[in-house]
Amino acid sequence: MIRRPRRVIPASIVAAILLALMALVIASCVQVLLGQAPVIPFGSLATRGSELTWADLPVLIGGGVLGALGVILLVCAWLPGAPNVLSLAAVGAGTQAGATRRSVRTAVVRAARRVDGVSRATASVSPGRVRATVSTPLREAGDLPDQVRSAVGEQLTTIALERSPTIRIRVHNTHADHHWE
């Protein structure tokens, strides 16, 4: 039931870099065929490349950077991402149901906004944790964090996630730079 996100960001970065490099090479090849000076000077690159050895510093640095980039991309591909769908408590034998993290986050934000004294709310949801940040024009937070925590907790109880997440509330005063937790 746990859908994992695709690796869109690393794949997009690699694709954009490769596309830009391919465009430069193609443009240079076309310029050479037309008898113009190419954007990428193939002749001087070949001459410079033939002068380098494997022990030269530019080769070692370039190889290290490319190797590190490759390891980072492999780690991004291998490590599982946070699930997009959070499992709900079992309804019956063999039945699985889930709620998207986005829908749980929206429900948490709505619950926090319903508390008196809250002018704005944001939230983030992960499988084991819910973090809500609320803004208030009140000078003193008083029991506002507890009220928000209670409202968010009730909403999460209604949603009935399989694993009850820990709830962290942060209150920000809109008039001064005060934070309460």
Side-chain angles (χ1 to χ4, degrees):
M1 173 47 104
I2 298 176
R3 289 187 352 214
R4 303 268 180 202
R6 295 186 192 135
R7 303 298 188 242
V8 174
I9 294 173
S12 298
I13 291 170
V14 171
I17 290 171
L18 290 176
L19 180 65
L21 290 174
M22 178 196 67
L24 280 174
V25 169
I26 288 173
S28 295
C29 289
V30 169
Q31 287 174 326
V32 168
L33 290 174
L34 296 175
Q36 299 173 354
V39 175
I40 300 174
F42 294 119
S44 62
L45 284 177
T47 303
R48 176 72 177 130
S50 67
E51 295 170 354
L52 291 174
T53 66
W54 289 109
D56 287 337
L57 189 61
V59 174
L60 294 174
I61 290 173
V65 168
L66 289 176
L69 182 61
V71 168
I72 290 169
L73 290 173
L74 283 174
V75 168
C76 286
W78 286 337
L79 290 178
N84 289 332
V85 177
L86 302 175
S87 296
L88 298 178
V91 179
T95 304
Q96 287 187 331
T100 63
R101 287 173 46 188
R102 183 177 181 180
S103 65
V104 173
R105 183 180 65 233
T106 301
V108 165
V109 167
R110 286 184 183 157
R113 283 184 182 160
R114 283 193 294 264
V115 175
D116 286 337
V118 173
S119 59
R120 185 171 168 263
T122 60
S124 65
V125 176
S126 62
R129 185 178 316 147
V130 171
R131 292 181 182 169
T133 302
V134 297
S135 297
T136 181
L138 302 175
R139 298 273 180 215
E140 294 295 322
D143 64 343
L144 188 62
D146 293 331
Q147 290 178 9
V148 173
R149 185 175 288 106
S150 175
V152 168
E154 287 175 20
Q155 184 64 48
L156 291 172
T157 300
T158 303
I159 295 171
L161 295 172
E162 184 177 52
R163 252 179 60 191
S164 296
T166 58
I167 301 169
R168 183 170 179 202
I169 305 298
R170 185 173 187 200
V171 179
H172 174 74
N173 182 301
T174 56
H175 293 297
D177 222 7
H178 296 291
H179 298 284
W180 301 283
E181 301 204 21

